[in-house]
Amino acid sequence: MKTSFFKITLCLISLTLCIHCKPNTESNLPKMNSTAETISKVLRHVVLFKFTPEATPKQIDGVIKAFEALPEQIKEIKAFEWGLNNSPESLNKGFTHCFFLTFDSEQDRATYLPHPKHKEFGALVTPVLDDVLVVDYWTTN
């Protein structure tokens, strides 16, 4: 008898919760202002460098400075940042430097890739690069 009473009570509590709780659907979420509060999707261009063992710190520093200068020389680059790998997982496969560029469109990226300043940068970095990895993606927000 106690078990049946417990089961019925539990069912009634569950039913009450289901009736009063609403899932997070678009109809009951706060409305976002479509201008200031929404973030447009952007195209990310991620470049990873693995330098040759012979590359000197001075050469690597020159590559970094040249890459940092590109946003001032190529207006299609909307944002730029870079950093050194510090992952404790040891899965970087020798890639030590990550460069992160942001573009508003595929057309902006298409302008950047053959841009004379980008080509000039490529000629500077190629002699000290062992490998390069590039991944591009659209943000999902």
Side-chain angles (χ1 to χ4, degrees):
M1 182 83 169
K2 286 183 181 182
T3 304
S4 295
F5 178 76
F6 178 73
K7 286 181 182 178
I8 292 172
T9 304
L10 189 58
C11 285
L12 287 173
I13 291 171
S14 297
L15 183 60
T16 303
L17 287 173
C18 288
I19 291 170
H20 292 289
C21 294
K22 294 180 184 175
N24 282 336
T25 62
E26 282 190 34
S27 61
N28 67 0
L29 289 176
K31 300 295 180 204
M32 297 288 286
N33 179 334
S34 62
T35 55
E37 293 180 43
T38 56
I39 299 173
S40 298
K41 290 183 179 187
V42 291
L43 184 60
R44 303 285 195 211
H45 180 70
V46 182
V47 181
L48 303 173
F49 283 166
K50 176 181 179 182
F51 290 99
T52 64
E54 300 79 28
T56 67
K58 184 177 179 181
Q59 289 172 311
I60 293 171
D61 189 51
V63 166
I64 293 166
K65 287 187 182 343
F67 215 154
E68 287 176 322
L70 287 181
E72 294 174 17
Q73 300 166 341
I74 304 172
K75 68 177 176 64
E76 287 77 12
I77 300 171
K78 300 304 176 200
F80 173 86
E81 65 183 63
W82 75 274
L84 292 173
N85 175 54
N86 75 347
S87 173
E89 297 178 291
S90 299
L91 298 174
N92 62 308
K93 299 183 180 184
F95 291 92
T96 56
H97 291 68
C98 179
F99 300 89
F100 193 80
L101 293 82
T102 301
F103 297 97
D104 285 337
S105 67
E106 290 182 9
Q107 180 57 48
D108 285 353
R109 179 188 55 195
T111 300
Y112 160 78
L113 292 173
H115 192 283
K117 291 295 183 180
H118 182 237
K119 293 294 186 185
E120 203 175 285
F121 171 74
L124 171 77
V125 71
T126 299
V128 294
L129 271 187
D130 185 30
D131 203 358
V132 62
L133 175 66
V134 177
V135 175
D136 291 357
Y137 67 92
W138 281 99
T139 58
T140 58
N141 48 340

